[in-house]
Amino acid sequence: MATIPCRYLRRVRRSGVAPGLAACVLLLPSAAQAQQSDRDHQRRFYFRLAAARVIFDEKADVKLGGQALPGANATASDNNGVSLELGYFLTPDVSVAATVGVPPTSTLTASGTLAGAGTLGKVTYGPGLYSLRYHFGRPGGVRPYIGGGLNWTIIFKTEDGVLKDFRTTNTVGPAITGGIDVPINARIGVFGAASKVWTSTNARFRLGTPGGLVPGTARVQLDPLIVQLGLRYRF
């Protein structure tokens, strides 16, 4: 094996080349991280696909023939579904996102003083959440986030049960969201998220009584918690 003469090494040290080489070596990881960060910044869009659980925290104020029914209530069945999301990074730390769900169907069941009446009706709905988010941590790493926005849920279909001519309105309400993104590689990652929504809907119906069908209304507070677990793709 060839050896480097000692006088050459002394000359290199005196000339200051060795310290310069050492500094370059130390800077290499930082440069690589900067290049990775630049690549992550260039991939501003992201798409997320998740399994979702919608958990309602419902309460109803029911009126029949214009008169309040004390203690009358209804429960909405929780739903499992699939959510789709498209997001865009405005800056390395701030993003906007639109999240929608494959429309599930929730069953409304009589409770309170109406308990035992059975299924009041069914509602097929399309949930949507539109949010602004702040992401913690450095791009390319594990990134928790928090955000807030607006929930807009569209009612696609209603089905009668005990209630006849059952109809309900689309809902709009504020929402907060939070979660964590965990990268697998530069493009693909996994995430978990939870969103809380405050929203209510107005329902109209007719209820059968011994004297015939009587018109009624209900103000139904839904306030769901939405939990998601899925995959993320950046592009």
Side-chain angles (χ1 to χ4, degrees):
M1 179 184 296
T3 59
I4 300 175
C6 291
R7 64 179 179 278
Y8 177 75
L9 292 176
R10 286 194 295 271
R11 194 176 302 143
V12 168
R13 285 196 294 269
R14 292 194 193 101
S15 66
V17 174
L21 288 174
C24 289
V25 170
L26 290 174
L27 287 173
L28 283 175
S30 298
Q33 290 175 359
Q35 290 176 355
Q36 180 63 45
S37 179
D38 289 342
R39 285 194 293 270
D40 290 334
H41 183 55
Q42 291 169 3
R43 299 188 185 104
R44 289 178 175 263
F45 285 96
Y46 60 92
F47 174 77
R48 305 203 304 186
L49 174 68
R53 175 76 172 170
V54 182
I55 306 168
F56 291 104
D57 182 15
E58 63 276 37
K59 179 182 178 183
D61 294 320
V62 183
K63 291 183 178 180
L64 192 62
Q67 301 297 315
L69 291 182
N73 207 344
T75 61
S77 62
D78 299 335
N79 294 122
N80 295 319
V82 175
S83 67
L84 309 170
E85 180 177 285
L86 180 63
Y88 178 78
F89 276 91
L90 301 172
T91 74
D93 298 324
V94 178
S95 73
V96 291
T99 311
V100 297
V102 175
T105 298
S106 182
T107 300
L108 302 179
T109 304
S111 63
T113 55
L114 295 177
T119 298
L120 300 175
K122 295 183 179 181
V123 180
T124 300
Y125 62 97
L129 177 62
Y130 309 93
S131 61
L132 177 70
R133 301 170 179 177
Y134 183 82
H135 301 255
F136 300 92
R138 64 176 181 81
V142 175
R143 305 201 73 183
Y145 68 87
I146 58 173
L150 189 70
N151 170 265
W152 180 31
T153 297
I154 300 174
I155 304 301
F156 289 113
K157 181 182 178 182
T158 56
E159 300 176 41
D160 291 352
V162 173
L163 305 179
K164 306 303 179 186
D165 300 324
F166 173 55
R167 298 291 183 271
T168 189
T169 59
N170 298 339
T171 74
V172 177
I176 58 173
T177 187
I180 186 168
D181 285 308
V182 181
I184 296 174
N185 57 41
R187 291 184 179 271
I188 298 173
V190 295
F191 79 96
S195 304
K196 179 63 178 179
V197 177
W198 291 270
T199 191
S200 57
T201 183
N202 295 312
R204 296 181 292 106
F205 56 88
R206 292 195 296 166
L207 180 64
T209 69
L213 291 173
V214 178
T217 61
R219 176 75 170 176
V220 184
Q221 193 172 318
L222 298 168
D223 298 353
L225 174 68
I226 305 168
V227 181
Q228 300 163 277
L229 184 64
L231 295 173
R232 183 210 68 198
Y233 179 76
R234 291 195 66 173
F235 60 100

